[in-house]
């Protein structure tokens, strides 16, 4: 039976046959689809192969013609007098192999070495890592002393990042430079989705990672760009598994939740974690035919999908971001399933920001210890008015 996959890139089914958790539809629903009316012959062949990007056309060679090119087609002749055009995907793979065989220029070798050095930052984002939002260099110092693995630079913390009358912009390079100089841990700066020029400007000042942020602009599939062409690794927000795999295929090195980033409310963030966990479980349990159908409809690289299915998780670090502001928020997010968390800027607004920051780091590493979580939460009690 054909399978329908619910994703931002796939037209949703007309109805669902399974219950939804937290109001989210399941990624895959076994909903019968009507068979489309596709003409037979060449049109049918094209429709069958269009999803995978390869179309094979059969061209009949006139009698007496030994060369397929004389019949107006290109390819190899067969014993039955027909010629089959070469698969464009195979030609592309051949060109890629030829390109890889060529010796790299000094500039290409330098780029490769610089990118490899930057990608070591991702290796440091191990299980239980904390990345802290900061809007001042002295807060970046507090985050570093508390044990944060990286900082996310927030230039406008007054709620003006995305409004009707104020145009959202990326972090100004000169502003980012202050944080880069203030701490030794990696610094992350935000850009708008799909804005490669903002990314280039931040890369030039030496930013360690770039965050394509929904705080600044909404996700649009057509605005994707090749992140592998940058030395600097990217963090990208994804609402579900399909969007996450799409972003990874274009070069994202870290994925985070994206529904509620910067809102101060962690409920949607936790819902997104639940949804991702359920979708990964569904992918692991899919048959080969169902996997093939998913790949065909989602247009995601087969190798990436199969690798994710084998691992049972995303092949890159997965972080919870949005409303994570107390040790209990951290523990709950980690229990549902994530490698680390982005903390809210509000953790620095209490009486003892040093203790609060350290408590968030400790909670992320010891999330299975409820007694310790309770002790750490005392730093976050409501302050008397």
């Amino acid at each position: 039976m054909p399978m329908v996959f619910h994703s931002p890139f796939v037209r949703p089914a007309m109805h669902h046959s399974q219950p939804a958790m937290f109001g989210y539809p399941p990624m895959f629903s076994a909903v019968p689809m009507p068979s489309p009316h596709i003409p037979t012959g060449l049109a049918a062949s094209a429709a069958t192969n269009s999803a995978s990007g390869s179309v094979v056309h059969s061209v009949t060679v006139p009698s007496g013609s030994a060369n397929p090119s004389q019949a107006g087609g290109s390819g190899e002749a067969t014993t039955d007098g027909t010629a089959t055009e070469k698969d464009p995907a195979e030609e592309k793979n051949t060109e890629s192999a030829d390109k890889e065989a060529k010796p790299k220029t000094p500039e290409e070798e330098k780029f490769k070495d610089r990118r490899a050095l930057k990608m070591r930052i991702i290796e440091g984002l191990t299980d239980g890592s904390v990345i802290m939002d900061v809007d001042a260099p002295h807060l970046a110092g507090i985050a570093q002393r508390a044990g944060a693995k990286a900082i996310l630079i927030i230039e406008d913390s007054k709620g003006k990042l995305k409004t009707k009358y104020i145009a959202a912009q990326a972090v100004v390079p000169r502003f980012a430079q202050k944080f880069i100089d203030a701490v030794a841990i990696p610094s992350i700066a935000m850009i708008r989705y799909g804005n490669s020029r903002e990314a280039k400007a931040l890369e030039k000042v030496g930013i360690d990672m770039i965050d394509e942020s929904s705080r600044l602009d909404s996700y649009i599939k057509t605005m994707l760009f090749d992140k592998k062409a940058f030395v600097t690794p990217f963090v990208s927000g994804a609402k579900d598994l399909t969007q996450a795999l799409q972003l990874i295929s274009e070069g994202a090195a870290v994925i985070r939740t994206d529904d509620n980033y910067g809102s101060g409310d962690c409920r949607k963030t936790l819902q997104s974690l639940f949804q991702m966990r359920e979708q990964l479980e569904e992918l692991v349990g899919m048959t080969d035919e169902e996997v093939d159908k998913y790949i065909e409809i989602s247009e995601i690289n087969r190798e990436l999908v199969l690798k994710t299915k084998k691992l049972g998780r995303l092949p890159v670090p997965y972080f919870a971001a949005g409303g994570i502001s107390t040790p209990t928020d951290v523990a709950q997010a980690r229990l549902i399933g994530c490698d680390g968390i982005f903390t809210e800027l509000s953790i620095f607004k209490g009486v003892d920001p040093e203790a609060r920051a350290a408590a968030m780091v400790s909670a992320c590493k010891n999330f299975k210890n409820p007694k310790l979580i309770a002790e750490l939460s005392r730093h976050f009690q409501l302050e008397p008015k």
Side-chain angles (χ1 to χ4, degrees):
M1 178 181 294
M3 304 295 293
V4 178
F5 308 88
H6 298 278
S7 143
F9 309 126
V10 183
R11 182 178 299 173
M14 298 301 294
H15 55 85
H16 307 289
S17 61
Q18 300 176 4
M21 177 175 285
F22 298 105
Y24 286 85
M27 182 175 67
F28 316 118
S29 298
V31 182
M33 294 179 63
S35 300
H37 297 285
I38 302 176
T40 58
L42 185 62
S45 176
T48 303
N49 294 280
S50 61
S52 61
S54 60
V55 181
V56 179
H57 304 285
S58 294
V59 183
T60 302
V61 181
S63 177
S65 175
N67 187 354
S69 62
Q70 295 176 2
S74 61
E76 300 177 355
T78 60
T79 56
D80 59 354
T82 62
T84 304
E85 289 191 0
K86 291 184 179 180
D87 189 339
E90 293 180 1
E91 293 180 353
K92 185 176 181 180
N93 291 336
T94 303
E95 292 175 359
S96 300
D98 294 340
K99 186 176 181 180
E100 292 177 0
K102 295 179 181 179
K104 295 182 184 247
T105 64
E107 291 77 12
E108 291 174 336
E109 289 290 349
K110 184 178 179 181
F111 173 85
K112 182 180 178 181
D113 293 341
R114 290 176 60 204
R115 180 169 175 81
L117 184 62
K118 284 283 190 179
M119 290 302 290
R120 290 181 186 175
I121 297 172
I122 308 303
E123 297 175 4
L125 299 179
T126 54
D127 195 31
S129 297
V130 176
I131 298 173
M132 295 187 176
D133 287 11
V134 296
D135 63 354
H138 77 277
L139 296 182
I142 293 176
Q144 179 174 259
R145 292 189 293 273
K149 293 292 185 180
I151 57 169
L152 176 63
I153 302 169
I154 307 296
E155 186 171 3
D156 185 347
S157 60
K158 299 179 180 180
K160 298 180 180 179
L161 289 171
K162 187 167 60 175
T163 69
K164 183 176 180 180
Y165 302 105
I166 301 177
Q169 295 181 357
V171 172
V172 176
R174 183 179 296 179
F175 183 77
Q177 188 69 57
K178 300 177 182 178
F179 294 82
I180 297 172
D181 297 338
V183 293
I185 58 176
S187 299
I188 308 172
M190 294 186 295
I191 65 166
R192 289 172 286 187
Y193 266 116
N195 198 317
S196 60
R197 295 303 91 190
E198 290 179 346
K200 279 293 185 184
L202 289 169
E203 185 174 73
K204 288 297 183 182
V205 298
I207 203 72
D208 297 297
M209 297 179 70
I210 297 172
D211 186 323
E212 271 192 315
S213 179
S214 59
R215 294 198 209 186
L216 304 181
D217 203 356
S218 300
Y219 175 85
I220 302 176
K221 182 180 178 182
T222 55
M223 295 176 64
L224 300 179
F225 61 91
D226 184 14
K227 298 173 177 60
K228 297 175 184 176
F230 288 77
V231 170
T232 308
F234 280 76
V235 180
S236 296
K239 298 182 185 297
D240 62 15
L241 178 59
T242 302
Q243 186 178 351
L245 293 177
Q246 177 69 47
L247 290 165
I248 292 170
S249 66
E250 69 159 16
V254 177
I255 296 294
R256 57 166 172 73
T257 57
D258 194 46
D259 281 311
N260 208 37
Y261 196 27
S263 70
D265 185 354
C266 73
R267 290 176 297 177
K268 288 186 178 180
T269 299
L270 299 180
Q271 291 172 4
S272 293
L273 293 174
F274 269 119
Q275 184 186 26
M276 180 66 76
R277 187 176 74 179
E278 288 184 339
Q279 293 177 351
L280 286 166
E281 290 173 352
E282 290 185 47
L283 178 62
V284 170
M286 290 174 68
T287 64
D288 292 342
E289 292 181 356
E290 291 171 338
V291 171
D292 290 340
K293 192 66 176 178
Y294 173 60
I295 293 171
E296 178 184 339
I297 294 179
S298 63
E299 300 180 349
I300 297 173
N301 178 271
R302 172 178 292 275
E303 183 179 352
L304 177 59
V305 174
L306 294 179
K307 182 178 180 180
T308 304
K309 175 179 168 64
K310 181 179 179 180
L311 294 173
R313 54 153 295 152
L314 293 177
V316 300
Y318 180 49
F319 277 66
I324 308 295
S325 55
T326 68
T328 52
D329 292 340
V330 175
Q332 185 63 41
R334 294 277 281 134
L335 281 170
I336 296 172
C338 63
D339 298 307
I341 53 104
F342 282 74
T343 64
E344 288 283 312
L345 190 62
S346 60
I347 69 168
F348 296 108
K349 305 305 181 184
V351 174
D352 191 349
E354 297 263 4
R356 285 182 168 224
M360 298 295 279
V361 174
S362 181
C364 198
K365 294 179 179 178
N366 304 282
F367 64 97
K368 292 183 179 180
N369 187 340
K371 184 177 180 179
L372 178 60
I373 298 299
E375 176 65 20
L376 295 172
S377 298
R378 66 184 176 85
H379 298 291
F380 293 80
Q381 62 186 357
L382 294 176
E383 301 171 18
K385 295 183 180 180

